[in-house]
Each structure stands twice: as structure tokens, then as C-alpha cells.
Amino acid sequence: MITNKSKREIDLMRKAGWIVAKTLEIVEPHIKPGVSTYELDKICEEAILSYDATPSFKGYQGFSGSICTSVNEVLVHGIPSKEKILQEGDIITIDVGANYKGYHGDGAWTFAVGEVSDDAKKLMQVTHDALYKGLEVAKAEVYIGDVSHAIGSYIKQFGYGIPMEYTGHGIGRNLHEDPPVFNDGQPNRGVLLKEGMTICIEPMVHIGKPFTKVLSDNWTVISKDKSLTAHYEHTIVITKDGCEILTTTRQEESLIG
Ligand code: MG
């Protein structure tokens, strides 16, 4: 069900989003060659708990981590592991969810491990900028297809693959709610955005072809051609004139439009 949140609900989600962003800030300096994704998971879990929230992903449909750690060709849902040690030149997406007093925030960021290739840098920049192309369009009385179109048409200019089976989503009392937010689509289609709707916009991009594969652990999603992938996500609330990013610690940069 798609719901427009009350002021009280949005205040709680603003706190949940702040905790997500703060957790990403706390973990970032630890993302270095030699660290395991398990260690990053523990740092994030401790941070989330320290702000009186719980990790949204832990136990979600049986997921064992507090965060998702998706390295290189892993697009999403990488499981933190003591065996997965980051290497110079890797790129890693950390996806964090926090449940604060029954409301979720969800955000992801792709980070470079040491010095990375120019191809990796470009993929990260384009995927990041695609998120902001979507955010710039999102506002009340705009169709969700307009947001999808802004994201997809930007990414496709670079010849990158957009895996359409993974999407953004509504969020609130549940981590995943309607509507899906596709990373490509037609303008003037889909749900009409309304003030107070809370959604996650999250472009996921392959440097190669758009096809994906789920590994035998039933979680890890990789690009089928094993090409590099990137993923950036913000939770936002739709406003009359634009949107407000909830997954940020920088209040002054949160309003778009
Ligand atoms: Mg999400």
C-alpha cells in the first residue's frame, strides 16, 4: 500500500535516515585494503545500535548481516564475511538500513578501496549522478515514470547496463513498500507522486550488460558478465516543490527543488 506519511512519521524517518547516513560516515574511514567485510558489518551494527536503532537487514528474510557489502561484480545483497578481504582497487557498496522506533531508513553508497581504475571511477560518478538526476525530478504531482526516465536516460548515454529486476521502493513501517521505483522507464507513467510519500531511489548499474545472476547462497546478486557494478541510494520524502533527502547528516543539503 502506498501511504502519505504524517509529520510525526516523517520526523521518525528523518531520524532513521540520519542514522543510516551517520553509519556510512562512521564506516567510510575503515574501508581500506586488508579489512574484511565482516569487520565493516560489525562497525556498522555497533553504530546503528548506539543510536537506539536496529539494523533493518539483520534477519530480514533470513539475511545474516547487519549491512550488505557488495564488492566489484556483486551488484546487491553481498553477505558480510570474514573470508572476504578488501583489496586495493576494489569498489564496494555498503547498503545500510536502520529501524528507528518502527520506521526505516535505507541508503547505499559505493566506495573506492585505495586507488581504483578510471573505469571504476567513471562508473561510480555516473551512478551517483543518476541518483541525483532522479532526485531533481521527484516532486508532488510528477509521475514515478518521470523519475525512472530521468535516471535511465542519463545512465544509457554511457552505454552501461541497467538491471531492471532490481528497483527502488516505497519505505516506512516496512523496509520495502509500494511503489517500485524502476531505474528506467517512460515519462507520464506509473504512480503519481504526492506530498508526504516516502520512497527510496537507488540506481544500480553494470559497466557491462544488464543481466544478473544470484549465487548459490541465494542472496549475492552479481552481474552475469562479472562486470563492475555500482549502487547509490537515498530515502526521500516527496514535498510540494521537490523532495527532502532523509538519509543525510547535512540538513542544509537535504532539500532539493
Ligand atoms: Mg533499498
Side-chain angles (χ1 to χ4, degrees), residues 57 95 106-107 167-169 175-176 200 202 231 233:
F57 304 160
D95 196 339
D106 187 6
T167 71
H169 49 92
L175 181 59
H176 296 121
C200 294
E202 48 179 322
H231 172 204
E233 175 180 26

Side-chain angles (χ1 to χ4, degrees), residues 37 41 56-81 84 91-97 106-110 163-169 175-176 183 200 202-206 212-223 229-233:
T37 55
D41 182 82
S56 304
F57 304 160
K58 191 155 196 165
Y60 183 85
Q61 296 178 3
F63 191 76
S64 61
S66 289
I67 58 169
C68 297
T69 49
S70 303
V71 180
N72 295 337
E73 76 276 11
V74 179
L75 176 68
V76 286
H77 308 162
I79 304 170
S81 159
K84 184 66 196 173
I91 61 174
I92 179 172
T93 303
I94 308 273
D95 196 339
V96 176
D106 187 6
W109 209 259
T110 303
M164 290 298 284
E165 58 271 48
Y166 298 93
T167 71
H169 49 92
L175 181 59
H176 296 121
N183 289 315
C200 294
E202 48 179 322
M204 291 161 252
V205 181
H206 294 176
T212 60
K213 184 179 147 182
V214 180
L215 298 187
S216 59
D217 61 22
N218 288 324
W219 277 109
T220 310
V221 178
I222 65 166
S223 55
T229 70
H231 172 204
Y232 293 80
E233 175 180 26

Side-chain angles (χ1 to χ4, degrees), residues 37-256:
T37 55
Y38 174 85
E39 289 169 78
L40 300 178
D41 182 82
K42 289 300 143 212
I43 290 162
C44 290
E45 181 175 84
E46 197 180 301
I48 293 166
L49 294 173
S50 76
Y51 295 111
D52 297 324
T54 53
S56 304
F57 304 160
K58 191 155 196 165
Y60 183 85
Q61 296 178 3
F63 191 76
S64 61
S66 289
I67 58 169
C68 297
T69 49
S70 303
V71 180
N72 295 337
E73 76 276 11
V74 179
L75 176 68
V76 286
H77 308 162
I79 304 170
S81 159
K82 284 179 181 165
E83 274 78 59
K84 184 66 196 173
I85 310 290
L86 298 184
Q87 314 284 334
E88 176 88 19
D90 284 344
I91 61 174
I92 179 172
T93 303
I94 308 273
D95 196 339
V96 176
N99 176 345
Y100 181 74
K101 297 191 195 297
Y103 286 86
H104 295 273
D106 187 6
W109 209 259
T110 303
F111 299 97
V113 181
E115 190 58 34
V116 301
S117 69
D118 288 345
D119 284 350
K121 280 182 198 158
K122 186 177 163 195
L123 173 72
M124 291 166 69
Q125 188 69 51
V126 168
T127 310
H128 169 276
D129 293 351
L131 169 59
Y132 281 80
K133 295 289 174 193
L135 295 175
E136 281 161 18
V137 170
K139 66 172 183 172
E141 307 307 325
V142 155
Y143 288 94
I144 216 151
D146 296 300
V147 175
S148 301
H149 178 73
I151 295 168
S153 56
Y154 182 73
I155 294 166
K156 284 190 288 190
Q157 290 178 66
F158 299 90
Y160 293 150
I162 304 171
M164 290 298 284
E165 58 271 48
Y166 298 93
T167 71
H169 49 92
I171 184 169
R173 278 197 162 280
N174 301 296
L175 181 59
H176 296 121
E177 298 183 353
D178 280 337
V181 183
F182 289 97
N183 289 315
D184 194 18
Q186 299 293 322
N188 296 311
R189 299 276 175 86
V191 170
L192 191 63
L193 295 174
K194 296 283 183 190
E195 205 173 338
M197 279 176 62
T198 45
I199 57 173
C200 294
I201 299 184
E202 48 179 322
M204 291 161 252
V205 181
H206 294 176
I207 216 168
K209 297 216 158 51
F211 311 110
T212 60
K213 184 179 147 182
V214 180
L215 298 187
S216 59
D217 61 22
N218 288 324
W219 277 109
T220 310
V221 178
I222 65 166
S223 55
K224 210 168 184 182
D225 60 9
K226 305 249 178 97
S227 63
L228 276 184
T229 70
H231 172 204
Y232 293 80
E233 175 180 26
H234 273 313
T235 300
I236 65 168
V237 56
I238 301 297
T239 64
K240 194 162 132 310
D241 303 312
C243 67
E244 178 188 340
I245 300 173
L246 299 180
T247 37
T248 183
T249 58
R250 289 184 266 278
Q251 196 75 45
E252 66 283 4
E253 292 170 19
S254 65
L255 290 175
I256 296 193

